[in-house]
């Protein structure tokens, strides 16, 4: 499960575990996910505010899981700082 999630750009072992803790076991399960809700839920689960870069990785992960044609530029999590992902 974690190994599969580590195929997502920017997702290492720790971030993969965060995704598992949030209930995601497979990349395709992220297709309909809300990165902001994921980030807020993880902050609540951990009982602390987490670095905002985690939100950017979540945005990138949802984009990566989407069936859309991927822009290689957007497969780098740091390009999601001022963006949101909408599958429409």
């Amino acid at each position: 499960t974690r190994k599969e999630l580590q195929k997502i750009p920017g997702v290492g072992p720790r971030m993969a575990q965060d995704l598992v803790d949030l209930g995601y076991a497979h990349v395709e399960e992220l297709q309909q996910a809300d990165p902001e809700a994921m980030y807020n839920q993880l902050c609540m689960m951990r009982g602390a505010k987490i670095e905002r870069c985690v939100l950017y990785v979540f945005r990138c992960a949802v984009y990566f899981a989407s069936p859309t044609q991927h822009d290689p530029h957007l497969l780098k999590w740091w390009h999601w700082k001022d963006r949101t992902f909408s599958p429409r």
Side-chain angles (χ1 to χ4, degrees), residues 25-67:
H26 304 284
V27 173
E28 59 272 0
E29 293 173 345
L30 292 163
Q31 288 182 3
Q32 302 302 318
D34 177 341
E36 283 73 16
M38 293 167 61
Y39 174 77
N40 291 330
Q41 182 180 357
L42 188 62
C43 288
M44 288 179 57
M45 289 172 64
R46 301 293 185 250
K49 198 72 165 165
I50 299 171
E51 292 182 32
R52 295 279 298 170
C53 62
V54 172
L55 170 61
Y56 312 147
V57 174
F58 287 167
R59 289 174 178 168
C60 184
V62 171
Y63 176 71
F64 179 80
S66 73

